[in-house]
Each structure stands twice: as structure tokens, then as C-alpha cells.
Amino acid sequence: GSKWSYIGPDGEKVWPKKYPFCGGVFQSPIDFHNDILHYDSALLPVELEGYNVSSEVKFLLTNNGHSVKMNLSSAMRIRNFSFQYSAAQLHLHWGNRNKQEGSEHTISGRHFAAELHIVHYNSEQYVDLKSAVDKPNGLAVLAILMEEGDFNPSFEKIFSHFQHVKYKGQEAIVPGFNVRDLLPERLDDYYRYEGSLTTPPCYPSVLWTVFRKPVEVSVGQLLALETTLYCTESDDPSPLKMVDNFRRVQEFDERMVSVSFQ
Ligand code: BO1
Ligand code: ZN
């Protein structure tokens, strides 16, 4: 079983004891600051296909005790990376009401309220997420920073089901929708680097694309994210709220982040 957490005796400081990669190289997330950024004119706008999913398709939404995760269709693909990548799942990381934190990646030391990860696997070389997760060039994650602002009707297509997945192990069905609408308008402005899973087992298998511009969700939507879910099962006598499920930024020596913008 996965016995790790973000707080307490199984917190991120001790992840490397059971998951040696968490103490290894190429770890994520990181802070994006000027000294490590370099412009790369070869970074083209991200091209997606199959992201507009029919409502006939049913996505499985699960509380896995660490986050809320929604399985995606492998027909959703990134077209223009070095390999073809197919979507496997999306999930979120967030903070709690009392702090200005929540995102995993930071920009010049600044946290955003939350962060969406759309996890893709290299479908040219591997059959599924599980077989790609620990391989070089195995995964490509699209990361979307989220800040407080206008109500976001696209995120609501997921958030409106939170009541049914309050506790670990609970599942709900989300009808397909246009997943492209969860991303920022501009897919040409982003940070790019090679890193890792931000949770155990922290495999260094992820090509990260973090979009520069955050998307807005309302204060009510952030509140729903931060107050509805629990890390624990429904019959647990000591319920634990699912908050602050982000990993702290990692050392970033002798690595560079490519940016698509000047
Ligand atoms: S993330 O996008 O870097 N936060 C990320 C973290 C972990 C995974 C994917 C993306 N995948 C995990 C699954 C676990 C599984 C593990 C190894 O991969 O969530 O359920 O055990 O296969
Ligand atoms: Zn994640």
C-alpha cells in the first residue's frame, strides 16, 4: 500500500526512505526564476487532438486519498512533441484557505492557488501509463496554474461532482466535455523542462510543460476544492481534510528551463 502523505511522520522529508527516486535527480516541482530560464525558438505552440470529448463518453472520477483524479481517454493526444503522447488522467494539487499557496510550480517564488496536471504517456513506445511511468520519455504532463478570479464553468464540470467523492476510494462518473477549455487560451507560452513525478515514487520520467498564464476559478470553486474532500475513508474515526497536497519546490542546480516566450 502507498503509505506516504504531505504532513506528519510520512511527509515529504521521508519519502526518499521508501522511494529512493524522491531523493534523486531531476526532481519536480521547481521554481521558475530568471537565472535558469532560456528562450528556445524551437518551442512551438502545443497542439492537442481529441480533447473535445462527447458527453456519451464517461470519465471516472476518483478520490485516491492524495488527490482527486479523473481518468481520460487515450484518444486525447498531444500531436507535436518528440513522441506521441496520449492522455491517461488529470488531477489537482491545492492549498487551504489560510495560505497563499497551493500550486506545485512557482514563478519567481510566487505560488498560485492550485495546479491542474493533465498526465499523458508516450503511446508511441508504451501501451499504458503504468508501463511508461518509470521510463525515459515515458510521460508528458501539461500543468495549468490556477488563480482566484472569475467563475470557471469548465472546471465546474468536474468540481460539481466533488460531493460524491468526498472520501478516499469513492468514485463518480463525469460526462465527457471539451477538456481543452480547462487550459489557458494561449498554448504558445510555456516553461519546459525534464523532471519527475511530484509524488512517490518520484520517477524522473516527466517532460513538463507548465503554461505561463494561469486560468481563473472563482473563490467559491477554490473553497469547494479546499473544503469538500478528505484523505481518509468514509468510516475513518479521525477524518483528515485533503488540503496542501503539493510538494515543495526542489533544488534546481545545473539544469535549465526552456521557455517559448521572450
Ligand atoms: S504528477 O503529475 O507528477 N503529480 C504525477 C504523479 C504520479 C503519477 C502521475 C503523475 N502516477 C502515479 C500514480 C500512482 C502509481 C504511480 C506508479 O504513478 O498516481 O497510482 O502508483 O505507477
Ligand atoms: Zn500532479
Side-chain angles (χ1 to χ4, degrees), residues 167-228:
Y167 299 102
K168 181 179 180 180
Q170 292 185 333
E171 297 177 339
I173 297 293
V174 177
F177 60 95
N178 192 350
V179 180
R180 165 67 181 88
D181 294 339
L182 299 176
L183 280 68
E185 214 165 303
R186 301 181 64 103
L187 300 184
D188 54 349
D189 276 0
Y190 56 84
Y191 302 89
R192 158 63 54 75
Y193 75 102
E194 287 182 38
S196 74
L197 302 181
T198 65
T199 67
C202 306
Y203 297 129
S205 58
V206 181
L207 182 67
W208 280 97
T209 302
V210 181
F211 292 103
R212 183 190 197 183
K213 273 270 302 222
V215 298
E216 293 183 10
V217 298
S218 70
V219 61
Q221 290 180 302
L222 282 175
L223 205 59
L225 182 60
E226 292 166 347
T227 64
T228 313

Side-chain angles (χ1 to χ4, degrees), residues 13-253:
K13 292 280 183 295
V14 302
W15 291 357
K17 289 190 185 178
K18 273 195 180 160
Y19 307 96
F21 285 107
C22 298
V25 292
F26 293 108
Q27 289 300 287
S28 296
I30 59 168
D31 177 52
F32 301 123
H33 53 276
N34 278 332
D35 344 346
I36 60 165
L37 306 181
H38 77 100
Y39 172 64
D40 183 351
S41 62
L43 292 176
L44 300 174
V46 176
E47 281 181 34
L48 304 172
E49 68 179 359
Y51 259 58
N52 192 359
V53 179
S54 156
S55 60
E56 312 283 285
V57 174
K58 305 301 172 199
F59 292 138
L60 185 67
L61 186 73
T62 309
N63 176 332
N64 64 16
H66 305 296
S67 183
V68 60
K69 164 186 104 165
M70 191 173 84
N71 288 349
L72 296 171
S73 154
S74 60
M76 295 170 53
R77 294 190 189 95
I78 304 171
R79 279 160 72 153
N80 62 333
F81 287 4
S82 300
F83 298 95
Q84 179 180 262
Y85 287 90
S86 295
Q89 51 115 316
L90 64 73
H91 63 269
L92 298 118
H93 302 267
W94 60 89
N96 79 68
R97 282 292 75 193
N98 310 320
K99 296 196 221 125
Q100 295 297 86
E101 295 182 325
S103 66
E104 298 214 292
H105 292 92
T106 58
I107 300 181
S108 302
R110 183 193 164 204
H111 273 272
F112 290 78
E115 187 169 327
L116 170 70
H117 289 160
I118 308 181
V119 183
H120 301 72
Y121 67 95
N122 177 338
S123 49
E124 227 173 283
Q125 296 181 298
Y126 308 108
V127 294
D128 58 16
L129 176 65
K130 205 177 170 66
S131 49
V133 73
D134 60 345
K135 307 296 193 306
N137 306 307
L139 305 191
V141 180
L142 302 182
I144 294 99
L145 301 164
M146 297 160 62
E147 68 179 3
E148 192 177 309
D150 289 343
F151 178 81
N152 190 314
S154 301
F155 275 85
E156 195 65 15
K157 290 175 182 177
I158 303 171
F159 287 19
S160 61
H161 300 269
F162 283 171
Q163 285 299 336
H164 304 289
V165 294
K166 288 178 78 72
Y167 299 102
K168 181 179 180 180
Q170 292 185 333
E171 297 177 339
I173 297 293
V174 177
F177 60 95
N178 192 350
V179 180
R180 165 67 181 88
D181 294 339
L182 299 176
L183 280 68
E185 214 165 303
R186 301 181 64 103
L187 300 184
D188 54 349
D189 276 0
Y190 56 84
Y191 302 89
R192 158 63 54 75
Y193 75 102
E194 287 182 38
S196 74
L197 302 181
T198 65
T199 67
C202 306
Y203 297 129
S205 58
V206 181
L207 182 67
W208 280 97
T209 302
V210 181
F211 292 103
R212 183 190 197 183
K213 273 270 302 222
V215 298
E216 293 183 10
V217 298
S218 70
V219 61
Q221 290 180 302
L222 282 175
L223 205 59
L225 182 60
E226 292 166 347
T227 64
T228 313
L229 306 165
Y230 291 82
C231 294
T232 42
E233 292 174 357
S234 59
D235 60 356
D236 197 307
S238 43
L240 185 62
K241 287 230 166 242
M242 190 180 280
V243 291
D244 298 324
N245 58 353
F246 61 93
R247 189 187 195 187
R248 276 46 186 187
V249 294
Q250 304 294 300
E251 297 270 346
F252 197 75
D253 297 330

